């Protein structure tokens, strides 16, 4: 029981991070119908920006709590801003010139961009893993139990609390942004019918750019949380995290924001429970198998609308 | 080229009507006079400088953390080191490059009357396109002749470096074969497969394991490995081929990763990350390439030279690749091949004409997988050692890049792309990291510059009276759904 609860907490934490990345996939797919393959690498870029900013500010676990919180807030803003610039640039260079081209073309430039970003970071920052001393440590003990292997403690660390709370706050804010603001309205209009929206005076190109910017900013939040929680990053983290987040977006129903979050949580839980109860080595296989199974039996995902193909 | 360098082009110069999606633009404007951008009030040079300054500003934001700072492992964690010199140089390069490009090519700021793409189109493109059918034929024949005599020229002409260059030839031919195999799936049937390396891996491991456990030679194991790969193609293809283009891409990518992870972790069967070594060499009618009079060069009274074995490998892969090409060209003329191409163009039309789309896709997938399997078992015997490390996603991306950059569906395009890319890769071996960066960048630039690949014109599969070359813009080529 205690073990189960602990895995549940870990799964939700991991799932929150996947969910934040998945939103970037789902929004881009919703608006221009392409898989932004480089999004996982945008997440990786943001993790590096966050790491470097933390080092530059010089905040460590020994600093006072007020300073840590203030510093992390600054790091968050910086990481979101600069990652957004990366997201915007990638869209501008690799996707915008191909708008209206045949369907596979942007997917191939996306793969090219992903390779470029990975190797750029590898060259400029080195291939070795970057460890960060924990900035936020400690937590609260929820349960204590006894198993045949000795005592077991269920812990909810402060970092996990921060991750879950941040994710919830961002989700609420983001849903409001999409539902209530003119920008969100423009975005939904482009999603439904880009041509009609442009005839009605919506600047489609700018809306698409802003979609990439917002997706990148959310990935930056995920990147900062990832650095703080796991404490180890390298230039390759974007690939696997990207595929899993995409799986999450598909599982939830691509194009649907709550779906992306739900899918992220499910993928995080599946992966954690699989590692906890079966084998760690095959946890990626479990996540990928979920992708395959969902696409075969439920192609529109849990919360997505079925797509009708017309002549 | 002009389109990729649009960073910072002021959106204000366009009226809203211009920003309709690319393909739909013409349609949206039909029947109305096209909107003319308002004449800019600033001089072209000042505009270009401003534009370049914006690009440099964005580059500064992008590079600040990655070139400006470097994380280093120091005692007690990570340390930062500033590299402002490199940072400033990088920004200056971006500024200068952007300025040059916009002054030369951009419509808005151009000061020199020189249109690169039009010039190329007139001087090189048009004559090439006019004689394209002939060129393909001559190029094909010339390339084939060159390929046939390549090892001889090296063995006789350059005895010092023959091994190295024959090896390079073998490598290029392996990728040509893989490209041709994938071309069936992506170029003809229009199914984007991002996990092609899975079948390459299945072929390699099948041969290695069969050779290890049953002690059979290359020539018996080769067809078995091909069959097994084709079978895997069917198994993987059957559930997923109903999916639309880009979903299919991600699922095949997932399958590729699953197979690699299983190979990595199923220690008792595949020996895990240690891989399988001592894979036998292929024999020549029972004779081996070894030292000694009873073995191959010795029987003819020749001195043993390991370059002979390389040359033998070269001819094996050449024949395998030519078989792939021959089968593809023949299949294109059969109803099956035409169904593939029809499927690529319009799936709904195919279905309404009574083509069984699932079976048609499955055969493309299985045949593509089979050639991947052949290439894989050749790879295993040539290396003598295989491990899951050889079958990563980047390998799939490389093969796909060869197919796409060469021109979807074009056999000659694959050859050119494979020679350029693999040759370039080997030339710049010292710059291991930079070459991947450049490779990714080239993928983006070529795709933006020529979305249909280098060779865009195609010969029609079925002709009435005379052959006419079809421009790729006329067909919705490779529209994988």
């Amino acid at each position: 029981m205690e073990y189960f609860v602990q895995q549940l907490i870990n799964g939700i934490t991991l799932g929150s991070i996947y969910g934040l990345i998945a939103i970037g996939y789902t929004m881009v797919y919703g608006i221009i119908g392409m898989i932004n393959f480089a999004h996982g690498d945008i997440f990786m870029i943001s993790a590096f920006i966050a790491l470097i900013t933390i080092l530059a500010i010089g905040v460590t676990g020994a600093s006072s709590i007020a300073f840590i919180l203030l510093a992390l807030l600054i790091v968050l803003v910086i990481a979101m801003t600069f990652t957004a610039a990366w997201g915007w640039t990638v869209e501008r260079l690799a996707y915008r010139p191909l708008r209206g081209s045949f369907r596979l073309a942007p997917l191939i430039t996306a793969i090219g961009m992903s390779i470029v970003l990975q190797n750029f970071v590898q060259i400029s920052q080195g291939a070795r893993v970057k460890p960060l001393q924990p900035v936020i440590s400690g937590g609260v003990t929820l349960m204590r139990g006894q198993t045949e292997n000795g005592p077991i403690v269920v812990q909810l660390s402060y970092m996990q609390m921060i991750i879950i709370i941040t994710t919830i706050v961002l989700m609420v804010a983001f849903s409001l942004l999409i539902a209530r603001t003119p920008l969100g309205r423009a975005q939904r209009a482009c999603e439904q019918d880009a041509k009609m929206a442009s005839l009605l005076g919506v600047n489609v190109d700018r809306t698409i750019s802003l979609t990439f910017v917002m997706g990148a900013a959310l990935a930056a939040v995920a990147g900062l949380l990832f650095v703080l929680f796991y404490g180890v990053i390298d230039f390759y983290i974007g690939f696997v995290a990207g595929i899993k987040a995409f799986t999450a977006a598909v599982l939830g129903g691509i194009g649907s924001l709550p779906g992306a979050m739900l899918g992220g949580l499910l993928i995080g839980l599946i992966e954690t429970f699989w590692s906890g109860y079966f084998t760690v080595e095959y946890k990626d296989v479990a996540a990928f198998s979920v992708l395959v199974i969902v696409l075969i039996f439920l192609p529109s995902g849990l919360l997505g609308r079925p797509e009708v193909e017309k002549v | 080229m002009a389109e990729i360098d649009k960073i910072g082009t002021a959106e204000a110069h366009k009226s809203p009507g211009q920003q309709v999606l690319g393909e739909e633009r013409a349609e949206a404007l039909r029947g109305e006079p096209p909107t003319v951008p308002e004449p800019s009030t600033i001089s072209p040079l000042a505009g270009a400088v401003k534009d370049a300054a914006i690009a440099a500003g964005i580059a500064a934001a992008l590079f600040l953390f990655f070139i400006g700072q470097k994380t280093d492992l120091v005692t007690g964690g990570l340390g930062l080191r500033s590299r402002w010199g490199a940072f400033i140089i990088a920004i200056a390069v971006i500024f200068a490059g952007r300025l040059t490009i916009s002054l030369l090519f951009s419509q808005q700021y151009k000061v020199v009357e020189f249109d690169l793409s039009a010039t190329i189109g007139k001087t090189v493109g048009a004559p090439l396109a006019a004689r394209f059918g002939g060129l393909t034929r001559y190029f094909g024949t010339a390339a084939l002749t060159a390929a046939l005599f390549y090892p001889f020229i090296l063995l006789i002409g350059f005895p010092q470096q023959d091994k190295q260059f024959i090896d390079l030839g073998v490598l290029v031919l392996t990728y040509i074969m893989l490209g041709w195999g994938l071309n069936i799936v992506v170029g003809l049937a229009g199914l984007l497969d991002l996990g092609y390396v899975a079948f390459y891996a299945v072929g390699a491991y099948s041969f290695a394991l069969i050779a290890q456990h049953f002690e059979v030679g290359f020539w018996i194991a080769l067809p078995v490995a091909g069959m097994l790969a084709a079978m895997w193609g069917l198994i993987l293809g059957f559930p997923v081929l109903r999916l639309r283009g880009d979903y299919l891409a991600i699922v095949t990518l997932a399958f590729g990763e699953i197979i690699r992870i299983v190979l990595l972790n199923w220690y008792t069967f595949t020996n895990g990350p240690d891989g399988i070594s001592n894979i036998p060499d292929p024999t020549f009618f029972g004779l081996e390439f070894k030292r000694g009079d009873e073995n191959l060069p010795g029987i003819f009274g020749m001195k043993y030279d390991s370059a002979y074995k390389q040359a033998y490998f070269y001819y094996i892969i050449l024949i395998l690749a030519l078989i792939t090409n021959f089968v593809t060209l023949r299949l294109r003329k059969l109803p099956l091949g035409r169904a593939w191409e029809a499927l690529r163009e319009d799936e709904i039309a195919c279905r309404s004409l009574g083509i069984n789309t699932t079976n048609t896709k499955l055969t493309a997938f299985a045949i593509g997988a089979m050639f991947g399997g052949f290439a894989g078992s050749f790879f295993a015997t040539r290396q003598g050692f295989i491990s899951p490390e050889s079958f990563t996603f980047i390998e799939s991306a490389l093969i796909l890049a060869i197919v796409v950059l060469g021109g979807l569906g074009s056999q000659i395009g694959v050859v050119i792309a494979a020679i350029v890319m693999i040759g370039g890769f080997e030339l710049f071996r010292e710059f291991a990291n930079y070459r991947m960066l450049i490779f990714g960048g080239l993928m983006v630039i070529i795709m933006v510059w020529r979305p249909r690949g280098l060779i865009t014109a195609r010969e029609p599969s079925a002709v009435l009276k005379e052959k006419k070359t079809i421009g790729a813009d006329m067909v919705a080529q490779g529209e994988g759904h």
Side-chain angles (χ1 to χ4, degrees), chain B residues 154-303:
Chain B
L154 288 173
L155 283 173
I156 296 162
F158 307 93
Q160 265 78 48
Q161 292 166 311
D162 53 0
K163 258 180 286 182
Q164 187 196 343
F165 278 100
I166 294 177
D167 209 41
L168 179 61
V170 172
L171 193 67
V172 169
L173 277 173
T174 312
Y175 279 97
I176 290 177
M177 178 169 177
L178 285 168
W180 276 341
L182 186 63
N183 209 359
I184 298 176
V185 185
V186 183
L188 293 186
L191 308 165
L192 185 60
D193 184 353
L194 288 181
Y196 193 62
V197 79
F199 306 122
Y200 191 39
V202 167
Y205 269 90
S206 306
F207 171 51
L209 290 171
I210 291 171
Q212 210 174 37
H213 292 291
F214 302 103
E215 300 199 336
V216 296
F218 175 71
W219 295 108
I220 298 171
L222 179 75
V224 179
M227 288 301 129
L228 280 172
M231 201 185 76
W232 272 97
L234 288 178
I235 293 172
L236 301 191
F238 189 69
V240 301
L241 284 173
R242 294 182 304 151
L243 299 172
R244 288 213 339 270
D246 25 17
Y247 277 7
L248 179 73
I250 292 292
V251 170
T252 48
L253 170 77
F255 270 139
E257 282 297 296
I258 289 176
I259 286 193
R260 192 180 63 83
I261 295 169
V262 170
L263 289 177
L264 201 59
N265 289 307
W266 194 359
Y267 206 86
T268 49
F269 185 60
T270 64
N271 210 14
D274 301 341
I276 302 173
S277 48
N278 293 327
I279 301 169
D281 286 334
T283 56
F284 185 73
F285 296 103
L287 297 170
E288 284 185 71
F289 277 85
K290 270 189 193 162
R291 252 172 236 288
D293 287 341
E294 74 284 3
N295 291 318
L296 201 68
I299 271 191
F300 296 107
M302 287 158 75
K303 236 180 116 231

Side-chain angles (χ1 to χ4, degrees), chain A residues 29 32-35 37 44-46 48-49 51-53 55-56 78 82 85-86 88-89 92-94 96-113 115-126 128-133 194-195 198-199 201 203-205 208 236 239-240 243 246 250 254 281-282 284-285 288-289 291-292 295-297 299-300 307 309-311, chain B residues 3-9 11 14 16 19-24 27-28 58 60-67 69-73 76-80 83 186 190-192 194 239-240 242-247 249-251 253-255 257-258 260-262 265-266 346-348 351 393-394 397 400 404-405 408 432-434 436-437 439-441 443-444 447-448 451-452 477-481:
Chain A
Y29 193 93
I32 52 174
M34 69 162 278
I35 298 170
F37 201 84
M44 178 271 294
I45 289 265
S46 76
F48 268 89
I49 294 178
L51 174 74
I52 291 171
T53 318
L55 291 177
I78 289 178
F82 284 89
W86 276 98
W88 183 84
T89 311
R92 194 64 197 248
L93 286 179
R96 187 178 295 189
L98 286 171
R99 209 157 295 153
S101 185
F102 74 118
R103 190 163 190 152
L104 298 185
L107 186 58
I108 287 157
T109 51
I111 294 171
M113 262 299 159
I115 294 172
V116 167
L117 293 181
Q118 268 180 32
N119 285 280
F120 173 67
V121 173
Q122 189 189 355
I123 291 168
S124 61
Q125 297 294 330
R128 295 172 67 177
V129 294
K130 310 284 176 193
L132 177 73
Q133 300 295 327
K195 197 197 285 181
S198 80
L199 288 175
N203 189 336
V204 176
D205 269 349
I208 292 174
Y236 199 63
F239 179 68
V240 174
I243 298 182
F246 178 76
V250 170
I254 199 146
E281 288 85 26
Y282 288 103
D284 292 352
V285 172
F288 295 149
S289 307
L291 172 71
V292 175
L295 277 177
I296 293 167
F297 293 106
S300 53
E307 250 177 272
E309 209 178 335
K310 288 187 205 142
V311 180
Chain B
E3 286 135 319
I4 50 163
D5 302 299
K6 274 189 186 161
I7 308 184
T9 316
E11 228 23 85
K14 286 185 176 177
Q19 288 159 4
V20 185
L21 292 176
E23 198 176 46
E24 291 155 358
E27 208 176 319
I58 294 166
L62 299 187
F63 293 159
L64 178 62
F65 290 94
F66 291 91
I67 298 181
Q69 300 291 326
K70 166 115 168 63
T71 47
D72 282 317
L73 283 174
L78 276 178
L80 277 186
R83 293 183 295 195
V186 183
L191 308 165
L192 185 60
L194 288 181
V240 301
R242 294 182 304 151
L243 299 172
R244 288 213 339 270
D246 25 17
Y247 277 7
I250 292 292
V251 170
L253 170 77
F255 270 139
E257 282 297 296
I258 289 176
R260 192 180 63 83
I261 295 169
V262 170
N265 289 307
W266 194 359
D346 195 330
E347 188 171 340
I348 297 174
R351 228 182 283 150
F393 167 69
I394 211 73
L400 182 72
V404 171
L405 301 183
L408 285 168
N433 295 332
Y434 287 96
M436 277 316 285
L437 186 73
F439 162 65
M443 253 170 109
V444 176
M447 218 49 212
V448 169
R452 308 261 171 200
Q477 195 176 30
E479 187 158 14
H481 65 88

Side-chain angles (χ1 to χ4, degrees), chain B residues 62-120:
Chain B
L62 299 187
F63 293 159
L64 178 62
F65 290 94
F66 291 91
I67 298 181
Q69 300 291 326
K70 166 115 168 63
T71 47
D72 282 317
L73 283 174
V74 290
T75 41
L78 276 178
L80 277 186
R81 182 158 56 83
S82 298
R83 293 183 295 195
W84 298 119
F87 178 60
I88 288 166
I89 291 170
I91 293 172
V93 166
I94 296 280
F95 180 79
R98 175 74 195 167
L99 190 63
T100 321
I101 288 169
S102 55
L103 286 180
L104 287 181
F105 309 123
S106 135
Q107 294 298 316
Q108 226 168 345
Y109 306 120
K110 189 163 53 182
V111 287
V112 191
E113 273 310 317
F114 172 72
D115 192 337
L116 182 75
S117 48
T119 317
I120 290 180

